[in-house]
Amino acid sequence: MDPSEVEFLAEKEMVTIVPNFSLDKIYLIGGDLGPFNPGLPVDVPVWLALNLKQRQKCRIVPPEWMDVEKLEEIRDKERKEETFAHIPSPYYMELTKLLLNHASDNIPKADEIRTLVKDIWDTRVAKLRLSADSFITLQEAHAKLDNLTLMEINTTRTFLLDSLNYMYKLRTNMQPRSDAKSQDY
Amino acid sequence: MSDAFSEASDLSADDSQDVMTPAELIAKLEEAWLNEKFSPELLESKSEIVECVMEQLTHMEENLQRVRKGDVKASVHRMEIDRIRFVLSSYLRSRLQKIEKFFPHVLEKEKSRAVGDPSFLSPQEFAFAKEYLANTETYLKAVALKHMPPNLQTVDMLKAVPEPCLDSFVFLRVKERQENILVEPEMDEQREYVIDLEEGSQHLIRYRAIAPLVASGAVQLI
């Protein structure tokens, strides 16, 4: 899967905005939005929030977890625990990137948040590499991956799954074959 | 103007037995899209969902025609339509790619399906697969086979084209709790064991072990 497609999925998450225009309810296929009144916070999907922001029609309220203190807590917990810690948003990396790139003026301490999220990401991806390594060394047939986010899975998907497939093929070819089909060619 | 748009929300998926809101319909399409993207084999065709979504899109586009240019609401609707259309085409495209990759096996499966069972292919996909098979055969014949000695002039497509590898690993999220899933060992000296899949948990496992659960919708590939 392309990372941009993961980002596409992340854009469906809801975020609060404060519009500076007024508009009736919008009846989208995916559900109703609004009504929009100047100064009154309203929830919209990220894709719409970013579009309105680019047209300078709203201010984005950062999600609750996008806060230096909370992220520090998460980072410390992530470093302490051996397994993947619970993360407040399944799209934390994508949302941080999208919101900081397009609306950094609405997010206090944007640079600190960027660094913290990067730290959390690095810690988690390091854990992921370690566990992928032991998964392969122990030749496991099943792994539980709670709390892992889609973007994290996606960074390792092609490499891990392809290697597992090749190793499986090599191994089954070494063992005496019970069925000789598709060997004719 | 808002009346024209609100009609779309009232439109339920009347082709299927259970009534779905348009939002649920879009969610179903996205599930089908991800499942199709990640499963090694071609899944059952969700033509019903595709048709309903198409209906919704056409309906909404018709409404938009009546709106004057530069309307804020219309631009939001267009953006949503574009997003849905992207998912829809990506879904159909990944199915076509699989059909091209596994066409003899896809057609074989379609042939051996019992009467009354749901088809794995939509009528259009079936036509595409048949045509693809015919064209490949004609091509092989024209380029190489007719120059071969007579006893080597036939090719069994079922053997010539690799089968989908059901032993591939997949990532999945559990939507409905499942018990006693058999995990087969990687090596002979390991023992097989059973696991329970808790709702909301995520796993990495061979596709073969959970293929029926993907079909029934109890798990979602991610």
Side-chain angles (χ1 to χ4, degrees), chain A residues 1 21-22 26 42 45 62 73 80 93 105 127 143 154 166 169 175-176:
Chain A
M1 197 186 204
F21 59 97
S22 57
I26 311 184
V42 58
E73 224 171 87
K80 240 189 303 174
M93 191 60 185
D105 52 330
K127 279 184 198 175
N154 213 43
Y166 281 119
K169 269 182 205 154
Q175 286 163 4

Side-chain angles (χ1 to χ4, degrees), chain A:
Chain A
M1 197 186 204
D2 198 86
S4 61
E5 288 172 313
V6 186
E7 201 176 85
F8 175 85
L9 288 172
E11 283 169 358
K12 281 192 328 183
E13 292 289 293
M14 297 302 264
V15 66
T16 311
I17 60 164
V18 181
N20 58 15
F21 59 97
S22 57
L23 194 67
D24 296 339
K25 254 186 167 187
I26 311 184
Y27 299 94
L28 290 181
I29 301 178
D32 306 346
L33 294 178
F36 300 87
N37 287 308
L40 286 183
V42 58
D43 283 353
V44 296
V46 171
W47 57 266
L48 182 57
L50 294 181
N51 181 274
L52 292 174
K53 173 73 192 169
Q54 276 165 355
R55 295 194 283 170
Q56 296 175 351
K57 282 183 176 302
C58 76
R59 182 163 63 80
I60 295 181
V61 182
E64 214 179 298
W65 53 267
M66 206 176 276
D67 168 82
V68 172
E69 258 173 53
K70 287 202 175 106
L71 286 173
E72 269 170 346
E73 224 171 87
I74 296 172
R75 181 195 59 188
D76 295 343
K77 207 169 129 212
E78 194 67 63
R79 286 187 175 159
K80 240 189 303 174
E81 280 180 35
E82 254 181 62
T83 52
F84 296 98
H86 175 75
I87 210 90
S89 163
Y91 298 105
Y92 72 100
M93 191 60 185
E94 303 89 302
L95 289 181
T96 310
K97 189 171 159 261
L98 286 169
L99 295 185
L100 288 185
N101 282 356
H102 296 285
S104 54
D105 52 330
N106 295 152
I107 299 163
K109 299 189 184 164
D111 287 335
E112 275 178 67
I113 287 176
R114 206 188 287 269
T115 322
L116 278 168
V117 170
K118 182 84 174 63
D119 283 350
I120 296 172
W121 169 266
D122 286 345
T123 318
R124 290 171 65 91
V125 170
K127 279 184 198 175
L128 182 59
R129 286 207 200 98
L130 269 180
S131 55
D133 182 54
S134 69
F135 183 80
I136 288 182
T137 336
L138 296 174
Q139 303 206 348
E140 293 285 352
H142 164 252
K144 203 162 174 232
L145 300 161
D146 287 0
N147 292 331
L148 206 58
T149 67
L150 191 52
M151 195 55 119
E152 288 157 356
I153 290 178
N154 213 43
T155 54
T156 183
R157 181 194 317 275
T158 330
F159 174 60
L160 181 63
L161 297 189
D162 284 357
S163 345
L164 285 170
N165 274 347
Y166 281 119
M167 286 183 353
Y168 177 77
K169 269 182 205 154
L170 291 173
R171 234 182 354 254
T172 41
N173 281 344
M174 260 166 19
Q175 286 163 4
R177 295 184 64 91
S178 49
D179 56 335
K181 73 175 167 186
S182 74
Q183 286 295 294
D184 315 15
Y185 287 86

Side-chain angles (χ1 to χ4, degrees), chain A residues 12, chain B residues 13 16 18-36 46 48-50 52-53 87 91 175-176 216-218 220:
Chain A
K12 281 192 328 183
Chain B
S16 60
D18 43 355
V19 180
M20 253 193 281
T21 68
E24 283 167 350
L25 180 72
I26 302 300
K28 284 260 179 255
L29 175 70
E30 277 167 7
E31 279 170 23
W33 173 49
L34 292 177
N35 277 341
E36 196 66 66
K46 306 272 185 212
E48 213 168 68
I49 295 181
V50 173
C52 290
V53 172
V87 176
Y91 169 68
K175 285 163 70 192
E176 292 159 29
S216 73
Q220 165 79 51

